[in-house]
Amino acid sequence: MSRVDQHTEPSGYPGDPASGRSGLLDLLGVAAVLAEADGRIDMWSPQAEELFGYTREEAVGQYAAHLLLSPEHREAAIRLFAEVMVTGRGWAGSFPVRHKDGSSLMVEFRNMRLTDNLGDHYALGLATDRGVLRQLERKVALSSQLVTQAPIGLSVLDTELRYVAVNPALASMHGVPEAGHVGRSFREILPGAPFEAAENQMLEVLETGLPVVDRQVVGRTRADLDHDHAWAVSIYRLQDHGGNVLGIANVVVDVTDRYEAAREADRAQQRLRLMADGSSRIGTTLEVERTAQELADVLVPDLADMIAVDVLDSVLRTGRPDIGEKPPLFRALAVKTAYPTDASDAVLAPGRLTTYQANHPAAHCLRTRQPLLIKHLDSGELGRVATDDAADLLARAGVHTDMAVPLIARGQIIGVMGLARARNPEPFDENDLTLACELASSAALSIDNAVLHQHIRSAAETLQRSLLPQPSPRHPGLEIAARYQPAQAFSEVGGDWYDIIPLSGDRTALAVGDVMGSGIPAATTMGRLRTATSTLAGLDLAPSRILSHLDRITQGLDPYIATCVYAVYDPRLRHLQVACAGHLPPVLVRAGAPPELLELPTGTPLGVGGVPFETTTFDMLPGDQLVLYTDGLVETRDDPIDRRLGDLVRLLSPAHSSAEETCDWLLQRLRKPADHDDVALLIARAQPLDTAADGT
């Protein structure tokens, strides 16, 4: 039978109405062969290897007629191939094929012409064993005699066999509302003994990845506790493009006519694939624009030829919709078309603001909180969805059907998604609208989460920066420069910090630290540690004693783990005293000598307790430079830390003319826009004491 997990045929192809077989071929998991215009095989699917016996290496590059046909059949086949390539009309029927083992195999074919964006033609052949096809046709014919209709029930279950989504048909079969399925296990919905075997089959599909197709199950559900019902059940394992198992999909057929059952199964399979695709691809980050673009990428071209995703500007600015008497402002977040078209000029570019007239579909969604389906766009309807100039562009592009879907998250409408078809001749229908609504609902929650995250992150960053000092560039005997850079937009602000504290006798305390965790809690803990450090610094204690006190203080905070380097520079003695609490070592750049990582007792992070800290003293002469930093400057997900520390040391030689230039140089060379950690950087360059005093 068919191997559904290796399906390679293009879904949604309407087929040849005269043959009446395209739906059955789609159900089988057909072999796919792509040939160039001269008949040479260009692509060869795994199903083709199984059906014809030739491996991909043996088939690709060969002429299809010479590889697969006996001499007496080649002329007729070449004539049919040429007709398809010249006229573009598809051909369907049976043809004898020569198997690799020499036997003859009667194969059911569907051939069609494909054209790429350069205008080059290719031939796509879909094929299956005619005997297997006839067997499945007999099964469908038998089902058609037993029932008059067969709606398709669909469900998605996770790896624990809990329902993630069901369609209305399956909910009706089970006698349980759609919302009543979500989060409940398969056996909670279907507790009867007849469904135990079905559960075992689902577990087997999860483990092996081999689908169960058209397996019959007989039992009773809450929809009709007094009578048995029979279903043809198909179970598939869902995997993302990386091979990670997401769960299983369940397709249940109760009643159908042969042709209608096959057609609906194909459409249902496409919807299921889109739902699975959307589950794995939408909301992969906490970035608003990227989430909207992921939604567009999932729906185009599989559901629509073009899409626009707009969000209320008030949601982006304040985190909540502000719908007053005036038409609200929408901001375009994502636009995508399946192919180059003039209709793109009729759609608002991402980042632009607009308002919609009262009868526009977006305004309808905002007002009613309901989607709007326009199956057939006439000239009047085109004027409703666009301005006069834009309507002309849409008409010339052939846009003929449209739907608008509200983006609703946590009970609030936050935006609208508009979809249209032009090159695809089929109008949108209720099933398309349902699928779009389901994906829009999931995407809306992801977008709302991203908006919330950005507002929280902005608050945390504001708090973080407000808690950091605003150092003057010069202190007695020192030129100082400092920087704080948060992580990229969809990562939370961390607890990195620095401090410069004036001490008696022209001395200066320098500190850099990193609080475990991120967001407002980490920023708050950082502020408390910085306050404690400033207070303790006034007691004129050795750096090791300062860290011991901070260690005890940190144990009472949340988060309660932090790393820190604390140093005191005395410009009169030209001494630098340093103590470390689990932090990366500072770099000392001596005038006329190579930069070096200071060899310090590493110590344990603050908050661990029970381990004493040590103070180490170094000479630091005018012209020498001390570089303190947090791990966000050097740590990455791909490079060993030793290599990155070596890069840091190399970038500090030769020295720059100022500490400010050194800061900018290090951040430019070591930081990337996609880095997932924030960084604090503090550089102090020793100067003659009288020079510093003149500059203060």
Side-chain angles (χ1 to χ4, degrees):
M1 297 298 290
S2 62
R3 300 183 181 274
V4 181
D5 57 327
Q6 296 179 350
H7 236 152
T8 57
E9 80 276 13
S11 62
Y13 179 75
D16 179 3
S19 73
R21 295 197 181 98
S22 71
L24 291 174
L25 289 175
D26 292 335
L27 286 172
L28 286 172
V30 298
V33 178
L34 186 70
E36 298 179 2
D38 63 355
R40 195 186 302 269
I41 296 172
D42 190 59
M43 294 185 182
W44 187 259
S45 75
Q47 292 86 348
E49 295 185 8
E50 182 177 349
L51 182 62
F52 301 121
Y54 296 97
T55 66
R56 181 178 63 83
E57 291 77 10
E58 293 172 325
V60 172
Q62 300 294 322
Y63 287 100
H66 291 279
L67 181 69
L68 299 176
L69 302 177
S70 300
E72 63 271 18
H73 298 131
R74 290 174 186 167
E75 183 178 350
I78 291 173
R79 184 171 61 254
L80 289 172
F81 176 83
E83 182 178 350
V84 170
M85 296 302 290
V86 171
T87 67
R89 293 193 298 268
W91 177 84
S94 300
F95 215 91
V97 171
R98 182 178 60 192
H99 193 274
K100 180 182 178 181
D101 62 11
S103 64
S104 180
L105 178 69
M106 187 60 69
V107 174
E108 190 82 10
F109 276 99
R110 176 168 297 281
N111 297 316
M112 62 198 76
R113 189 181 76 181
L114 303 180
T115 305
D116 64 14
N117 60 347
L118 299 178
D120 294 331
H121 296 322
Y122 297 84
L124 174 64
L126 305 177
T128 190
D129 187 294
R130 189 175 68 169
V132 175
L133 176 63
R134 293 293 181 263
Q135 181 182 4
L136 184 57
E137 286 179 329
R138 286 191 292 271
K139 288 184 179 181
V140 175
L142 178 60
S143 299
S144 298
Q145 295 171 7
L146 296 175
V147 294
T148 58
Q149 290 182 336
I152 302 298
L154 300 174
S155 66
V156 176
L157 296 89
D158 63 17
T159 54
E160 301 296 326
L161 296 188
R162 294 187 299 260
Y163 281 98
V164 176
V166 300
N167 72 338
L170 190 62
S172 177
M173 294 177 194
H174 292 171
V176 178
E178 295 173 65
H181 280 76
V182 177
R184 300 176 66 185
S185 69
F186 174 81
R187 297 292 281 144
E188 284 182 286
I189 300 298
L190 301 173
F195 303 101
E196 183 176 354
E199 182 184 43
N200 292 334
Q201 290 168 355
M202 291 179 178
L203 293 172
E204 184 177 348
V205 169
L206 274 175
E207 180 181 357
T208 65
L210 298 176
V212 173
V213 180
D214 290 339
R215 185 63 54 89
Q216 181 173 286
V217 176
V218 178
R220 298 182 182 184
T221 70
R222 294 176 177 87
D224 188 357
L225 293 173
D226 297 325
H227 302 91
D228 286 338
H229 287 261
W231 301 274
V233 178
S234 297
I235 307 168
Y236 315 93
R237 189 171 76 177
L238 298 177
Q239 297 176 233
D240 63 18
H241 59 277
N244 301 305
V245 177
L246 305 176
I248 61 170
N250 198 8
V251 180
V252 182
V253 181
D254 187 59
V255 178
T256 191
D257 166 83
R258 183 183 71 175
Y259 173 75
E260 290 298 330
R263 185 170 181 268
E264 180 59 24
D266 181 67
R267 297 184 62 204
Q269 188 179 55
Q270 181 186 18
R271 293 195 298 271
L272 182 62
R273 184 169 57 252
L274 273 177
M275 285 298 299
D277 197 27
S279 298
S280 62
R281 293 174 57 190
I282 298 174
T284 61
T285 71
L286 286 171
E287 189 175 3
V288 176
E289 290 80 4
R290 181 168 176 179
T291 302
Q293 190 61 51
E294 289 169 345
L295 173 62
D297 291 341
V298 167
L299 291 175
V300 175
D302 289 334
L303 181 65
D305 289 337
M306 56 196 69
I307 185 174
V309 182
D310 298 342
V311 171
L312 287 167
D313 188 58
S314 59
V315 171
L316 298 174
R317 289 186 292 101
T318 67
R320 64 184 65 182
D322 182 13
I323 304 174
E325 295 181 359
K326 296 182 179 180
L329 274 175
F330 285 87
R331 185 177 295 275
L333 289 188
V335 173
K336 184 173 183 179
T337 60
Y339 51 87
T341 171
D342 291 340
S344 300
D345 296 331
V347 183
L348 201 66
R352 298 284 300 278
L353 291 169
T354 191
T355 58
Y356 292 110
Q357 57 190 356
N359 66 339
H360 191 278
H364 167 87
C365 292
L366 196 64
R367 184 171 58 252
T368 66
R369 299 168 57 88
Q370 297 296 320
L372 180 63
L373 172 62
I374 304 176
K375 293 185 178 181
H376 300 287
L377 279 170
D378 55 24
S379 57
E381 294 288 359
L382 279 173
R384 178 183 179 185
V385 303
T387 61
D388 292 342
D389 292 341
D392 291 340
L393 290 172
L394 295 179
R396 289 201 299 270
V399 173
H400 61 88
T401 184
D402 182 88
M403 59 182 172
V405 179
L407 300 173
I408 299 176
R410 299 180 176 90
Q412 299 284 339
I413 183 167
I414 65 171
V416 177
M417 174 178 69
L419 305 97
R421 283 178 179 170
R423 187 171 291 179
N424 185 335
E426 294 292 326
F428 289 126
D429 59 20
E430 297 295 338
N431 289 326
D432 297 326
L433 185 63
T434 299
L435 172 61
C437 288
E438 290 176 352
L439 287 171
S441 177
S442 174
L445 186 59
S446 295
I447 290 173
D448 194 54
N449 287 337
V451 170
L452 178 62
H453 172 78
Q454 288 189 0
H455 283 283
I456 293 175
R457 184 182 185 279
S458 177
E461 184 177 341
T462 300
L463 175 62
Q464 177 90 346
R465 291 189 182 278
S466 69
L467 293 173
L468 292 173
Q470 300 298 323
S472 61
R474 296 183 184 275
H475 288 254
L478 288 176
E479 174 200 356
I480 293 177
R483 298 284 189 277
Y484 170 75
Q485 279 194 359
Q488 63 176 352
F490 52 85
S491 297
E492 286 201 38
V493 174
D496 291 20
W497 56 285
Y498 63 83
D499 211 344
I500 306 105
I501 307 168
L503 302 176
S504 62
D506 291 332
R507 294 173 303 149
T508 301
L510 307 169
V512 165
D514 186 358
V515 176
M516 180 188 71
S518 58
I520 291 178
T524 303
T525 297
M526 177 274 290
R528 297 173 70 178
L529 279 179
R530 180 173 172 261
T531 300
T533 303
S534 297
T535 302
L536 292 169
L539 300 178
D540 201 18
L541 301 175
S544 59
R545 295 284 305 280
I546 295 289
L547 292 183
S548 295
H549 286 294
L550 290 176
D551 181 44
R552 287 191 291 272
I553 292 172
T554 306
Q555 294 176 40
L557 301 179
D558 184 17
Y560 62 89
I561 296 293
T563 64
C564 181
V565 170
Y566 184 87
V568 175
Y569 177 64
D570 187 336
R572 300 185 183 279
L573 299 178
R574 297 180 175 178
H575 283 175
L576 177 71
Q577 292 183 311
V578 188
C580 182
H583 203 84
L584 291 172
V587 180
L588 183 60
V589 185
R590 300 185 185 278
E596 59 177 320
L597 290 169
L598 293 182
E599 295 185 4
L600 300 173
T602 303
T604 59
L606 301 176
V608 174
V611 179
F613 300 98
E614 298 182 34
T615 298
T616 306
T617 302
F618 301 90
D619 292 332
M620 187 169 173
L621 305 178
D624 292 350
Q625 183 172 259
L626 179 68
V627 180
L628 304 175
Y629 55 93
T630 56
D631 56 9
L633 183 67
V634 292
E635 286 189 354
T636 70
R637 296 181 175 182
D638 304 318
D639 301 308
I641 186 62
D642 290 344
R643 179 189 301 170
R644 294 285 292 177
L645 288 173
D647 293 341
L648 170 62
V649 171
R650 283 190 294 273
L651 289 171
L652 289 168
S653 178
H656 289 80
S657 59
S658 70
E660 294 287 343
E661 289 183 5
T662 305
C663 276
D664 294 337
W665 170 252
L666 293 180
L667 292 173
Q668 177 186 354
R669 298 303 299 271
L670 294 175
R671 290 282 286 177
K672 298 178 181 178
D675 285 345
H676 290 261
D677 197 4
D678 52 354
V679 59
L681 176 61
L682 177 61
I683 297 179
R685 186 192 298 269
Q687 293 184 329
L689 187 58
D690 56 346
T691 301
D694 292 340
T696 301

